[in-house]
Amino acid sequence: MSQLVSILDGNTFVVCDHRGDIEPSFDFPTGLFSFDTRFLSTWLLTLDGERLHALSVDDSQSHRTRYFLVPGEPTHYLDAKVSVIRRRAIGGSLGEELTVLNHSEREMRFNLRLEMGSDFADLFEIKHKRTKAGRTTATVGENELKLTYRREAFHRETVITSTAPAEVDPGGMTWMILIGPHAEWTTRLHVSALIYGARGEDFRATTPLSGSRSPAAILAEQQELVDGAPKLGCDCEPLATAYRQSLNDLAALRYESITLRVRLLAAGLPWFMTLFGRDSILTSLQVLPFLPELIPPTIMMLAGLQGHRLDDFRDEEPGKILHELRYGETAGFEEQPHSPYYGSADSTPLFLILLDEYERWTGDADLVRKLEFPARAALAWIDSYGDLLGTGYLWYRTRNPDTGLENQCWKDSWDSISYADGRLPGFPRATCELQGYAYDAKLRGARMARLFWNDPAYAERLEREAAALKERFNRDFWIPEREYFALALDPEGRHVDALSSNIGHLLWSGIVDESRAERIARLLLDPLLFSGWGVRTLATDQGRYNPVGYHVGTVWPFDNSFIAWGLARYGFREEAGRICDGMLSASRYFNGRLPEAFAGYDRRLTEYPVQYPTACSPQAWSAGTPLLLLRVMLGLEPQGEHLIIDPAVPEGMGRVELLDIPGRWGQVDALGRSRTPHDNRHHR
């Protein structure tokens, strides 16, 4: 991924090589994409038949790039007589300006060629290397090439136009150009990605934010969001850089839903540029103290698409919150169940946690009252369909063994849940963090029932159920001989005994007995789990440990942010600070943009974090990580009408100031100092 360059505007994005070229690929999704479809799979520039090479690339802004190119091999770069500048911007559609500069003292002729093509591949077809079922045609017009894909009623189109006269053929455009001495030639290309609905028109034509927008308009809109966030002042440059980058990435990842016409956060480029249940909720929790205005659209969208029937294909059940929503061809023809798909066991309790946490910060009781029915349905799902074995725990097993997800916790790859010796348990599975989420959801549901739904009896019932769950969990999941909580229970109720990062989420939920919290905190910072950069997903002495395994040894920034939050909630501020310090130190090597995951190698071995080869970047919950870490360091917690500020900035980080924190208490400021005493509390 290091040799690839990306620009994006919501879920419309381009991934290309460092020359600006796009070549057909099923190894990684390169191309122009919008709403899960690749509209350009070929975009290759040549000058007099030669490929170009990059002298420099300016990709400092999320929605536009510039490439400074010369023809020939690297040995010919010296005193090149011609160069090419590509200026590219995205805003619902793609615009590219090509400028050829003649550096010689005589008139020059050039043959400029741009190969163009589209396979209209669905992202799932790329991921699983599948062939297309429909038919693509090319139509040549005056300075225009139209590529059309049809499969029954599914209709997509790519329209490419040039401002300069071009020879157009089904494979691209050619310009025969004559440039005077020390002069230049320019053309502007426009690429429209059209998604036709039942009425034969692009369904985004009526959406105010999804059409073509100028780079200036995109920048202004993103800047407005960033300017509304609290202002950070600090002595730690990695923190300052990561904070700025996170706000910019979160602004760029927003896209307009075609269902409710609201702005939502896409989960991550390139594979997850859509709404997710788990990812969207956890990102919302991370950014809530900084960008609370992003939260209501996500909550409303998830509530609006809440499950209401039994549908085995989609893993849908009444009250269940969705996992993933897709708009592409494979979802439309039910080759994949993502229209939407409900295969996650954690999105439902997390929905309740977010709804309550949002009100705690903002005081927006109206939203809690408005969503009483979806919240009650979510609570009912936990105790009914969620408790597959009737044991009082939250279990998962897909209803769709053909195309459904096997693992429906956040570690949803096939081998992520294992015994310590590497064996895989059967189904259903009850992972430990799911029980923590259910416990927290019941307590938060009780608070909402008592304060906003005028149902104290229901509140008392939920509190009793939460207390019983906590007692039962600390008995059944604890492994006495190893002194940690099992990763999961298998169908027979036996311990799935791998040591993993999941135990950190238990601290965040509050389900851990105080007597066991210190042991969990020590394990999380033990070298078996803690790499020096962060907590690994799986300990190094476990059977399936692999430092570059997706969920079996890598370090996930989002995971670490919630672990740090949990440590701080139990009073382990120094341990939380070590995770904050490791994550922010790692961010330096990614220019402030933490990737989806990086390798679990020990910090002393590599001296820098090694990126996971196919990690998404930017990814929403990785972008949210520096924000949650900042909240942890400053000790920001809402308590009724007050905001508690209990700073514990890691030693060596120096001054940390956060100005104009939004919330129900008005705009407040937080100030942190290295090693601030724990009893230095301020009530606002």
Side-chain angles (χ1 to χ4, degrees), residues 238-525:
L239 174 58
T241 300
Y243 185 70
R244 288 193 301 268
Q245 186 64 57
S246 290
L247 293 176
N248 289 332
D249 285 343
L250 290 164
L253 283 167
R254 292 175 303 151
Y255 76 100
E256 189 178 25
S257 162
I258 63 171
T259 308
L260 294 181
R261 302 291 196 264
V262 294
R263 277 293 220 181
L264 303 169
L265 275 174
L269 187 150
W271 296 112
F272 308 125
M273 298 300 288
T274 186
L275 175 71
F276 276 71
R278 174 192 309 121
D279 300 52
S280 299
I281 293 169
L282 292 173
T283 303
S284 296
L285 287 165
Q286 290 173 317
V287 308
L288 178 51
F290 305 87
L291 301 168
E293 65 272 25
L294 296 184
I295 313 307
T298 296
I299 296 177
M300 292 297 294
M301 185 73 166
L302 294 174
L305 294 173
Q306 187 175 32
H308 64 277
R309 61 183 177 179
L310 288 176
D311 183 336
D312 290 349
F313 178 65
R314 293 175 176 82
D315 268 325
E316 181 180 357
E317 294 161 344
K320 198 175 186 183
I321 298 298
L322 67 82
H323 170 59
E324 183 177 356
L325 175 64
R326 292 288 182 174
Y327 302 94
E329 180 178 351
T330 58
F333 284 90
E334 296 193 349
E335 295 160 353
Q336 298 285 343
H338 298 76
S339 56
Y341 179 55
Y342 292 83
S344 65
D346 51 5
S347 56
T348 306
L350 288 171
F351 170 79
L352 293 158
I353 293 168
L354 175 60
L355 180 59
D356 176 71
E357 187 75 4
Y358 171 74
E359 191 285 326
R360 287 174 185 260
W361 272 95
T362 64
D364 186 359
D366 289 342
L367 186 62
V368 177
R369 294 189 184 100
K370 183 184 297 184
L371 296 182
E372 177 181 354
F373 178 80
R376 285 178 179 266
L379 286 161
W381 178 86
I382 292 173
D383 292 330
S384 55
Y385 297 101
D387 186 4
L388 285 171
L389 298 186
T391 58
Y393 291 125
L394 194 50
W395 301 80
Y396 63 78
R397 176 177 56 205
T398 183
R399 292 173 171 271
N400 177 359
D402 295 326
T403 54
L405 281 171
E406 290 185 33
N407 278 314
Q408 300 194 353
C409 54
W410 87 257
K411 294 176 180 176
D412 57 5
S413 53
W414 68 276
D415 62 344
S416 63
I417 307 301
S418 65
Y419 298 100
D421 61 10
R423 291 176 298 117
L424 300 180
F427 292 95
R429 297 170 180 172
T431 58
C432 63
E433 82 286 354
L434 291 178
Q435 318 318 316
Y437 299 160
Y439 167 78
D440 196 11
K442 285 178 178 288
L443 287 181
R444 291 172 181 269
R447 176 181 177 271
M448 292 186 286
R450 180 172 286 112
L451 296 181
F452 309 113
W453 304 339
N454 193 28
D455 195 343
Y458 186 41
E460 290 174 8
R461 190 191 106 195
L462 289 170
E463 287 168 344
R464 288 195 304 271
E465 291 173 354
L469 174 56
K470 183 173 183 176
E471 180 181 2
R472 187 168 61 247
F473 173 83
N474 280 272
R475 180 192 68 220
D476 295 346
F477 274 75
W478 187 251
I479 308 175
E481 63 274 18
R482 302 186 186 180
E483 294 190 283
Y484 61 77
F485 291 101
L487 170 57
L489 296 183
D490 67 15
E492 287 72 40
R494 296 187 300 255
H495 291 144
V496 180
D497 55 350
L499 176 59
S500 72
S501 66
N502 299 53
I503 60 175
H505 288 239
L506 299 176
L507 293 177
W508 170 56
S509 71
I511 199 172
V512 177
D513 278 345
E514 292 285 347
S515 61
R516 290 170 174 168
E518 185 176 356
R519 168 62 177 168
I520 298 303
R522 285 205 311 269
L523 279 173
L524 289 167
L525 274 299

Side-chain angles (χ1 to χ4, degrees), residues 488-626:
L489 296 183
D490 67 15
E492 287 72 40
R494 296 187 300 255
H495 291 144
V496 180
D497 55 350
L499 176 59
S500 72
S501 66
N502 299 53
I503 60 175
H505 288 239
L506 299 176
L507 293 177
W508 170 56
S509 71
I511 199 172
V512 177
D513 278 345
E514 292 285 347
S515 61
R516 290 170 174 168
E518 185 176 356
R519 168 62 177 168
I520 298 303
R522 285 205 311 269
L523 279 173
L524 289 167
L525 274 299
D526 186 278
L528 289 173
L529 277 174
F530 189 65
S531 73
W533 303 110
V535 179
R536 300 179 179 92
T537 43
L538 191 65
T540 57
D541 63 345
Q542 303 299 290
R544 285 192 175 269
Y545 170 72
N546 178 351
V548 290
Y550 194 54
H551 288 132
V552 291
T554 49
V555 174
W556 286 60
F558 109 85
D559 189 26
N560 277 262
S561 71
F562 282 90
I563 292 170
W565 195 5
L567 286 164
R569 284 188 163 186
Y570 272 80
F572 300 104
R573 306 300 299 277
E574 183 176 349
E575 290 81 357
R578 285 184 62 191
I579 291 178
C580 294
D581 183 66
M583 278 289 111
L584 293 171
S585 296
S587 74
R588 296 174 53 200
Y589 296 90
F590 301 109
N591 298 317
R593 175 185 283 168
L594 286 164
E596 176 185 22
F598 53 87
Y601 297 118
D602 191 277
R603 185 169 180 171
R604 294 168 298 181
L605 176 65
T606 63
E607 297 184 357
Y608 58 88
V610 177
Q611 186 162 325
Y612 183 77
T614 58
C616 288
S617 184
Q619 191 189 43
W621 63 14
S622 292
T625 291

